[in-house]
Amino acid sequence: MASDSDVPNSIPALSETHSQPAQWTEAVKKIQPVDDFRNLPQVPCARESLMYGIASAAGIGAIRFLNGGPRVAANWAVGTFVFISIASWEVCRRARDREQQTMRMIVEKYPQRNIRVAMQKAEEARAQASAGDAGNNPTGAS
């Protein structure tokens, strides 16, 4: 059995975690909500997911308002927005990842295909050149 000195201490002591509050304050200072919302359209799948969530929440909220009143409708609308937004985000990201993986595979194999085609063309050109040289040089003309 290993002694305490042989096992590295991977869990920091309680005093060590409280001695570093500067890292948390620096991290909080880096949060820029205005810039994050401004850059939201550039985030892949974000716009589409939020639009699906908003449309679904409006529809379900309206239906629940007719049957249960504003408080029930608001709860259902928020829940629907969150669920549909997350679900459509995951579906979109998964499809995007699959597409990127396919593109990476094509890019990796494409140079090999070009090399193979170039080698075949070079062999055909050599064969035509050697056949043309044999026809241009009469055997008894030297």
Side-chain angles (χ1 to χ4, degrees):
M1 183 169 170
S3 67
D4 289 339
S5 61
D6 294 340
V7 179
N9 188 4
S10 62
I11 301 174
L14 186 60
S15 61
E16 291 176 16
T17 58
H18 290 295
S19 66
Q20 301 174 355
Q23 290 179 354
W24 286 99
T25 57
E26 291 173 13
V28 170
K29 288 179 184 176
K30 290 181 181 180
I31 297 173
Q32 303 290 330
V34 174
D35 291 337
D36 290 341
F37 280 114
R38 199 174 291 147
N39 294 330
L40 195 61
Q42 282 78 32
V43 177
C45 300
R47 183 179 184 274
E48 180 181 330
S49 299
L50 291 174
M51 293 300 284
Y52 281 134
I54 291 168
S56 300
I60 297 296
I63 291 169
R64 292 304 296 174
F65 179 75
L66 296 175
N67 294 333
R71 187 175 178 122
V72 172
N75 288 339
W76 274 88
V78 170
T80 301
F81 169 76
V82 170
F83 178 74
I84 297 296
S85 294
I86 292 172
S88 61
W89 169 272
E90 288 298 322
V91 168
C92 180
R93 294 296 288 196
R94 193 170 297 136
R96 190 170 187 273
D97 289 343
R98 221 177 297 129
E99 181 181 352
Q100 285 180 341
Q101 185 179 19
T102 303
M103 292 301 292
R104 270 188 239 113
M105 186 174 57
I106 290 171
V107 167
E108 288 172 0
K109 291 188 178 195
Y110 189 71
Q112 295 172 355
R113 186 176 357 157
N114 272 348
I115 292 170
R116 198 176 328 128
V117 169
M119 289 176 65
Q120 287 175 351
K121 286 182 180 179
E123 288 177 17
E124 290 173 2
R126 276 188 235 128
Q128 288 177 354
S130 64
D133 288 340
N136 288 338
N137 289 334
T139 55
S142 294

